[in-house]
Amino acid sequence: MTTLGTLGESAVLARVFPRLPAARAQQLGPGDDAAVVAAPDGRFVVTTDMMIHGPDFRLAWSAPFDLGFKAAATNLSDVAAMGAVPTALVVALAAPAETRVDFLEAFADGLRAACDELSPGAGVVGGDLSVSATLTIAVTAFGDLEGRAPVLRSGARPGDVVAVSGTLGLAAEGLRLLFERGVVDGRPDAAAAAELAREHPVPIAAQLRPHPPIADGRAAAIAGATAMLDVSDGLARDASRIADASGVAIDFSGVSAAELAGAEDHGLLACFPPGIPLPGGFRQIGSVLEGTGVLSDGERITGSGWDPYAGWDGGSD
């Protein structure tokens, strides 16, 4: 069995580099001390996110390919939420020395698949590899605004339409199933998770291998979105960020409690001026009002969604 510890960093990277997706914007990729990436309009969007074994994923439930796919997808979604087109990723991974090299190869294959499927032209231009007792993944993503202004959280105005692209509540349902039925003797179990994936493929896939609507971020910006963000901590919690930043209230209509509280959907929540056709896969789910906070059919919502320090809260209304 070939592990990271027995092979060594240089040999590991020599096996992984060919599996990584190249970025259309890269002028110099992995191999030197830093990559060189084009910024066509003189600016770039940048974001970073971490995934840590334990609070963010369980190896018994997530295959290495799934981890690579999700690590890329969640960062691509943050870039898209600014109205930008993803261009490049930098990936750092710290893993136990006994980790098999084919684990890292499958992880790299997941990164490639996510870029190819969700944002063709985006790729991995560099990163870092280190040793740690806890598997830790950190991804930094870059994006091109193509000459447009970024779509911020602070631009929503009363009268705007609130719309979402992507699924709501499925990822949380998948996580609920895994915690309820993917555990044997108090521990996450790979066989139980595999059986769940066969019985409930849609919510399990939504949790382990999300497919955010990356192209709809650019489409929303072109259509005139006034505010936008990635739905990662629950619809209600993320909507409160737009409401607070814009000094408005957001009222959802006909959205279920599970859809409001479910986290890790990685769809896009956006506000649009009234009367314009909604682009891509966006559908109206509410409206922007005078006032503060988040409401559901006129009733105020509090404490709903995911907080990495406090955990998940189903909220109240």
Side-chain angles (χ1 to χ4, degrees):
M1 180 180 68
T2 305
T3 67
L4 302 184
T6 59
L7 199 58
E9 182 181 20
S10 295
V12 169
L13 292 176
R15 289 176 59 163
V16 170
F17 280 165
R19 311 180 86 95
L20 296 175
R24 186 178 299 140
Q26 81 181 40
Q27 298 179 348
L28 180 66
D32 280 83
D33 289 326
V36 179
V37 181
D41 81 347
R43 303 170 299 171
F44 58 85
V45 170
V46 61
T47 184
T48 193
D49 194 31
M50 296 179 68
M51 291 171 52
I52 300 173
H53 182 250
D56 297 313
F57 64 89
R58 307 293 196 281
L59 286 171
W61 295 342
S62 294
F65 181 95
D66 294 336
L67 289 175
F69 197 103
K70 186 171 185 176
T74 55
N75 282 274
L76 294 172
S77 183
D78 282 335
V79 170
M82 300 296 292
V85 176
T87 56
L89 304 175
V90 176
V91 182
L93 185 143
E98 62 271 19
T99 302
R100 293 166 59 109
V101 173
D102 57 10
F103 177 100
L104 197 58
E105 291 174 328
F107 176 81
D109 290 342
L111 292 170
R112 174 184 288 276
C115 290
D116 288 348
E117 290 181 35
L118 302 176
S119 188
V124 178
V125 299
D128 191 27
L129 184 63
S130 188
V131 64
S132 171
T134 302
L135 180 61
T136 302
I137 302 160
V139 177
T140 299
F142 301 86
D144 176 16
L145 288 164
E146 300 182 317
R148 296 181 298 274
V151 183
L152 309 180
R153 301 178 179 186
S154 55
R157 298 293 178 263
D160 281 355
V161 167
V162 178
V164 69
S165 178
T167 62
L168 292 174
L170 281 178
E173 173 63 10
L175 190 61
R176 183 190 67 79
L177 287 168
L178 286 166
F179 272 111
E180 287 184 358
R181 298 174 51 194
V183 177
V184 175
D185 295 329
R187 300 174 64 88
D189 184 81
E195 180 62 25
L196 275 175
R198 288 189 289 270
E199 294 178 5
H200 304 278
V202 175
I204 297 300
Q207 170 58 222
L208 301 183
R209 195 186 300 181
H211 281 68
I214 304 302
D216 279 356
R218 178 179 186 270
I222 293 172
T226 57
M228 185 162 54
L229 50 58
D230 160 76
V231 183
S232 56
D233 295 331
L235 181 63
R237 184 178 293 274
D238 287 323
S240 72
R241 291 165 175 153
I242 291 180
D244 291 346
S246 299
V248 297
I250 291 180
D251 189 10
F252 292 110
S253 176
V255 180
S256 70
E259 291 174 320
L260 286 167
E264 292 194 288
D265 293 302
H266 297 291
L268 296 173
L269 180 67
C271 302
F272 295 91
I276 70 169
L278 295 180
F282 279 98
R283 59 193 186 277
Q284 183 174 357
I285 57 171
S287 56
V288 179
L289 308 176
E290 298 276 1
T292 60
V294 178
L295 305 94
S296 177
D297 295 319
E299 297 293 325
R300 188 169 296 275
I301 302 171
T302 59
S304 181
W306 171 259
D307 182 310
Y309 295 101
W312 182 83
D313 184 350
S316 59
D317 53 34

